[in-house]
Amino acid sequence: MAGRTIGSRLLRAAGYASVVGVAGAGGVYFIYRPRDIPGTEAASVPPPTYGEGGVYRAQHFPREKSRAEQIADLKASAGTAFKQAANKVSNAIAGTEQQDENDDNAYDLLIIGGGATGTGVALDAASRGLKVALVERDDFAAGTSSKSTKLVHGGVRYLEKAVWQLDYNQYKLVREALRERRYFLDTAPHLSSWLPIMIPVQKWWQAPYFWAGTKFYDFLAGSENIESSYFLTRSKALDAFPMLKKEGLFGALVYYDGAHNDSRMNTSIAMTAALYGATIVNHAEVTALEKDANGKLCGATVSDKIAEANGGKDEFKIRAKGVINATGPFTDGIRKLDDPSVQEIVAPSSGVHVILPGYYSPSDMGLIDPNTSDGRVIFFLPWEGNTIAGTTDAPCDIAQNPIAGEEEINWILSEVKNYLQPDIKVRRGDVLAAWSGIRPLVRDPKKSKSEGLVRNHLVTTSPSGLVTISGGKWTTYRQMAEEAVDEALKVFPTIKTKPVPAPPLVSGVDGFREDIVLDGTCKTHNVRLIGAHGYSKTLFINLVQHFGIDTEVAKHLCSSYGDRAWTVASLCEPTEQRFPVRGKRISELYPYVDGEVRYACRHEYAENAVDVFARRTRLAFLNAQAALEALPTILDIMTEEKKWSKARQDKEWKDAISFLGSMGLPKGKLGLTRQQVEKGEVGKYVDEEYGMYARHDRPEETLASDSNFTSGTNPMISDDSPANA
């Protein structure tokens, strides 16, 4: 039986491929004929324009509880429970079985942290029938979870270490990640997709080495594989990636991994958890952990940061039978609220990424350089119409909004130059955005510092019952969440899972039910996120036909919101064009529209401008200056939605500018007022150090004639500028 299984996997890895000769090239490459490509299947439910006569029938998606309702639920969990805690302990000691009147109000689990792991834990627990609350100090994906390389990957470099170092733990990490990669793509096909990634081959003898490695990668993926890797001759490699340096190029290996929109994914996990009954509140900071008379955790004290932003104060308690710490780089901060003397386990590492214009890479092909100048690996990938390059890996201090250092940025640019054609000038001024994400590597507290660094993730429990899930990566967030909930069920025996019905109207269509049985065990590998049920690759066509939305905008809405794109489009105002068209762009450079701001406020708990331009849309991550230019429009829409005072608007402007400073906005633009931005004066402030500007898609001769730019002061067109050195 085992032999048959291994043999079938070998056939899947190699037998479905056709060997194709390349005329005159003296080489071969493999073309995989896949049986099932994620995201290409038909939608579970038809678009609302289908039906008799093509009549539009609007969907009826479930209503999300408002933030005020969610906070009321959190407060209701406590009641007078904390005052009665001592009586309850006394009853237990006396052997009585008197039931506290507030037991039904207490949450089974309180999760601290709203990143990928925290929201994943909330979804897992809620789908097992547990009563769940999640609080996040900032916003969903405000930290590391929005600052990834945007890959859903098994880890080719981990596989290399596993083979050459005979490291079984690395091997297990790859196997786990490849399995989770497929779950990731299947449960969120609108937010993720498969992406071919090229490995340039410089010497002929490298070809069989890389070929064997990528084929082994395919083999380990087994039935979870996306597509099979293949070899490209020199001419084919240059045809696929025209920017690639020709000199010394022998060919290239292409393998497949996944790519995704990380903060949109994070938000969708959070909203799906809410759909399954979890109480989800962002901008709520845990200031203290509560313990009963036996020293066991029984809840937390929370401060509402939005009330504080509006000039007030709202601090309250949450009661829960168990507490899970999923705060990424800030893990030790929560652990020290539990025990100030606890040994720190997080070893923070900075991962810097830069965003370049889209013309630096093909729209459908990434690149990995496994031979950088210092041995690190660097990715060069298309993302949201631009190009993302990174990442670095260096020890750092923990900060809420870390800033990418010039040394790291210049190192990335230098490495990029090494594998692009020499006539392509990679300039510092081409950097549209740059950010640093803190990778929360963890050390096993049971091992020495020299041996305890964990490359995947770690679940620990304190004497008081604080369950901490730390480390890991985006690809394995679901598995991490499953393990954290499993541990909580062991640590807190009073928590019991139960079957739950699938949420009605998850697809917006009456009569549809999720085709899974939620029996109290973990089912998140089958739970599709909101937006997935009515999504298909052709959904954008229906959106264009019904609303008259621009095709680029329609494609963007479908890939960011799935079937919820219908609601987003309905919230868009008509444009000023002669025929009915919806969707006013908040930035002329990108397909983000006004309806997204309204949708974020009404349906996704966006509470400030940074939530919108950084994480509900990705404008700040794609172009820091474009986000600055869009800020007045965003503030106007949010003020209308949330009835902000003048003082709150001023605070939003200040906070947004500060955040954009961490995204690479030049220092010379951090002092701009709203009036200056509205007058279009942003382009007049050319930063002498960075040389960043908004119109990166315009040729230099256009810039030279632009009244806002002069060749003598703009380092992007000055021959002797540092950016061109």
Side-chain angles (χ1 to χ4, degrees):
M1 186 69 180
R4 185 185 306 173
T5 301
I6 294 174
S8 64
R9 292 182 64 194
L10 285 169
L11 284 174
R12 279 196 293 266
Y16 293 125
S18 298
V19 182
V20 181
V22 182
V28 295
Y29 63 94
F30 279 71
I31 300 176
Y32 179 70
R33 291 184 170 84
R35 295 170 299 167
D36 180 23
I37 302 176
T40 58
E41 60 274 357
S44 300
V45 295
T49 49
Y50 279 15
E52 296 181 7
V55 178
Y56 175 72
R57 295 178 176 85
Q59 302 99 321
H60 300 285
F61 294 118
R63 185 187 78 87
E64 306 86 2
K65 283 188 176 181
S66 69
R67 187 173 188 274
E69 289 174 309
Q70 298 277 43
I71 289 180
D73 288 344
L74 293 179
K75 293 178 178 179
S77 72
T80 59
F82 285 101
K83 296 180 181 179
Q84 298 172 345
N87 293 333
K88 184 175 181 181
V89 172
S90 298
N91 291 335
I93 295 174
T96 61
E97 296 183 359
Q98 181 178 349
Q99 183 74 16
D100 192 291
E101 63 182 20
N102 290 286
D103 275 353
D104 290 340
N105 289 333
Y107 285 99
D108 291 322
L109 289 177
L110 168 62
I111 299 145
I112 307 173
T117 305
T119 54
V121 172
L123 176 57
D124 186 296
S127 63
R128 296 200 208 188
L130 301 181
K131 185 178 180 181
V132 181
L134 179 148
V135 292
E136 159 61 42
R137 175 179 63 177
D138 198 323
D139 183 31
F140 311 124
T144 305
S145 295
S146 64
K147 298 175 180 179
S148 71
T149 311
K150 323 306 177 191
L151 284 177
V152 187
H153 64 102
V156 171
R157 61 189 185 277
Y158 300 143
L159 179 60
E160 184 178 31
K161 292 178 181 178
V163 172
W164 289 109
Q165 300 176 13
L166 298 179
D167 190 333
Y168 183 64
N169 288 328
Q170 295 282 357
Y171 169 79
K172 287 196 302 181
L173 177 61
V174 174
R175 286 293 306 275
E176 176 187 272
L178 287 170
R179 181 191 68 242
E180 293 300 317
R181 181 185 68 175
R182 184 62 193 231
Y183 294 156
F184 201 113
L185 295 170
D186 284 341
T187 56
H190 53 306
L191 293 166
S192 57
S193 61
W194 47 273
L195 176 70
I197 300 177
M198 179 182 292
I199 307 175
V201 177
Q202 306 295 335
K203 307 293 183 180
W204 69 266
W205 54 265
Q206 292 177 322
Y209 173 79
F210 287 133
W211 182 88
T214 57
K215 284 302 171 187
F216 190 33
Y217 196 60
D218 296 343
F219 170 69
L220 290 180
S223 60
E224 267 62 275
N225 204 21
I226 305 174
E227 284 223 53
S228 180
S229 57
Y230 57 89
F231 178 75
L232 289 178
T233 62
R234 182 177 185 271
S235 60
K236 291 291 184 180
L238 291 172
D239 184 53
F241 209 113
M243 309 82 179
L244 206 58
K245 184 188 295 184
K246 299 177 182 178
E247 181 182 353
L249 183 67
F250 175 77
L253 262 297
V254 177
Y255 72 97
Y256 285 80
D257 255 330
H260 76 131
N261 188 333
D262 51 12
S263 72
R264 289 275 344 138
M265 182 79 179
N266 202 153
T267 300
S268 294
I269 298 169
M271 301 313 300
T272 305
L275 185 66
Y276 277 79
T279 302
I280 306 289
V281 178
N282 56 353
H283 300 287
E285 181 179 9
V286 170
T287 57
L289 295 176
E290 300 291 337
K291 297 180 181 180
D292 62 21
N294 293 324
K296 298 296 184 180
L297 290 178
C298 60
T301 301
V302 175
S303 175
D304 183 1
K305 307 301 288 184
I306 298 304
E308 185 179 308
N310 289 326
K313 184 178 181 180
D314 188 11
E315 190 170 86
F316 53 91
K317 297 182 185 298
I318 303 171
R319 188 177 177 221
K321 300 171 185 176
V323 180
I324 296 180
N325 173 17
T327 52
F330 305 98
T331 291
D332 287 324
I334 298 299
R335 293 175 71 240
K336 288 185 177 182
L337 286 180
D338 176 39
D339 179 3
S341 65
V342 73
Q343 176 186 344
E344 294 185 356
I345 63 173
V346 173
S349 174
S350 170
V352 171
H353 295 81
V354 302
I355 290 288
L356 298 167
Y359 53 68
Y360 272 105
S361 67
S363 62
D364 57 355
M365 177 76 76
L367 185 144
I368 179 175
D369 180 7
N371 297 309
T372 61
S373 59
D374 62 358
R376 286 183 284 187
V377 172
I378 191 169
F379 286 97
F380 197 62
L381 310 166
W383 183 64
E384 299 290 307
N386 282 356
T387 301
I388 183 172
T391 178
T392 62
D393 187 0
C396 67
D397 295 326
I398 296 176
Q400 193 160 353
N401 290 310
I403 297 176
E406 280 300 302
E407 182 178 351
E408 289 87 352
I409 293 174
N410 289 327
W411 178 83
I412 293 174
L413 297 180
S414 176
E415 295 301 326
V416 167
K417 294 176 184 177
N418 290 337
Y419 52 79
L420 296 184
Q421 293 187 28
D423 58 339
I424 298 177
K425 304 298 183 183
V426 182
R427 304 166 298 189
R428 177 60 179 84
D430 286 335
V431 175
L432 301 170
W435 69 86
S436 172
I438 300 178
R439 189 179 294 105
L441 303 178
V442 292
R443 298 185 186 278
D444 189 336
K446 299 177 182 179
K447 298 181 181 180
S448 65
K449 286 190 175 182
S450 61
E451 298 177 348
L453 194 62
V454 178
R455 295 304 302 182
N456 44 17
H457 58 269
L458 183 69
V459 181
T460 59
T461 304
S462 74
S464 68
L466 177 65
V467 176
T468 295
I469 173 73
S470 49
K473 60 180 180 178
W474 244 116
T475 308
T476 57
Y477 87 91
R478 193 212 64 83
Q479 176 66 30
M480 294 170 61
E482 180 180 349
E483 292 180 20
V485 176
D486 287 344
E487 178 69 12
L489 292 174
K490 295 176 184 177
V491 174
F492 313 118
T494 59
I495 298 176
K496 304 295 181 183
T497 63
K498 61 183 179 181
V500 295
L505 295 176
V506 62
S507 68
V509 176
D510 290 325
F512 176 86
R513 289 294 185 274
E514 188 75 88
D515 187 23
I516 55 174
V517 178
L518 301 174
D519 58 4
T521 62
C522 179
K523 297 290 184 180
T524 48
H525 56 286
N526 288 326
V527 173
R528 287 179 291 178
L529 302 187
I530 59 169
H533 302 83
Y535 172 77
S536 70
K537 294 286 187 182
T538 58
L539 179 62
F540 75 94
I541 297 175
N542 303 103
L543 218 61
V544 171
Q545 291 174 336
H546 182 74
F547 289 106
I549 284 180
D550 178 79
T551 300
E552 182 189 15
V553 172
K555 287 183 176 180
H556 153 67
L557 293 182
C558 290
S559 64
S560 296
Y561 302 90
D563 56 29
R564 267 53 174 184
W566 291 98
T567 303
V568 179
S570 69
L571 295 175
C572 292
E573 291 186 355
T575 65
E576 298 176 356
Q577 299 183 32
R578 278 183 273 182
F579 54 90
V581 176
R582 284 181 180 266
K584 293 182 178 179
R585 298 196 184 207
I586 59 176
S587 169
E588 63 184 50
L589 300 175
Y590 299 94
Y592 302 120
V593 290
D594 59 321
E596 293 182 79
V597 184
R598 298 185 183 92
Y599 184 83
C601 293
R602 299 181 191 181
H603 302 284
E604 292 185 335
Y605 302 132
E607 296 298 327
N608 59 41
V610 176
D611 291 353
V612 170
F613 68 56
R615 293 175 288 269
R616 302 306 184 279
T617 72
R618 306 315 308 275
L619 188 54
F621 280 80
L622 292 169
N623 190 320
Q625 181 158 311
L628 173 62
E629 293 176 326
L631 184 54
T633 299
I634 293 171
L635 287 179
D636 286 344
I637 297 174
M638 294 192 75
T639 297
E640 179 183 344
E641 290 289 322
K642 296 184 174 296
K643 313 303 180 186
W644 280 341
S645 65
K646 179 63 167 59
R648 177 65 190 274
Q649 293 178 59
D650 292 342
K651 174 177 171 53
E652 286 296 316
W653 182 268
K654 180 180 178 181
D655 291 347
I657 295 296
S658 176
F659 176 82
L660 288 175
S662 72
M663 299 303 296
L665 187 69
K667 296 176 182 177
K669 303 179 192 297
L670 296 179
L672 290 173
T673 65
R674 173 170 177 159
Q675 290 71 28
Q676 289 172 311
V677 172
E678 289 178 325
K679 291 178 181 179
E681 296 181 7
V682 176
K684 293 180 180 180
Y685 292 80
V686 179
D687 190 278
E688 295 180 358
E689 180 181 0
Y690 294 161
M692 185 188 292
Y693 64 102
R695 305 295 187 267
H696 281 258
D697 54 339
R698 294 190 296 175
E700 291 183 357
E701 46 267 36
T702 304
L703 287 171
S705 62
D706 193 321
S707 61
N708 290 340
F709 296 90
T710 61
S711 60
T713 59
N714 189 347
M716 295 211 56
I717 54 178
S718 174
D719 291 335
D720 59 351
S721 71
N724 290 331

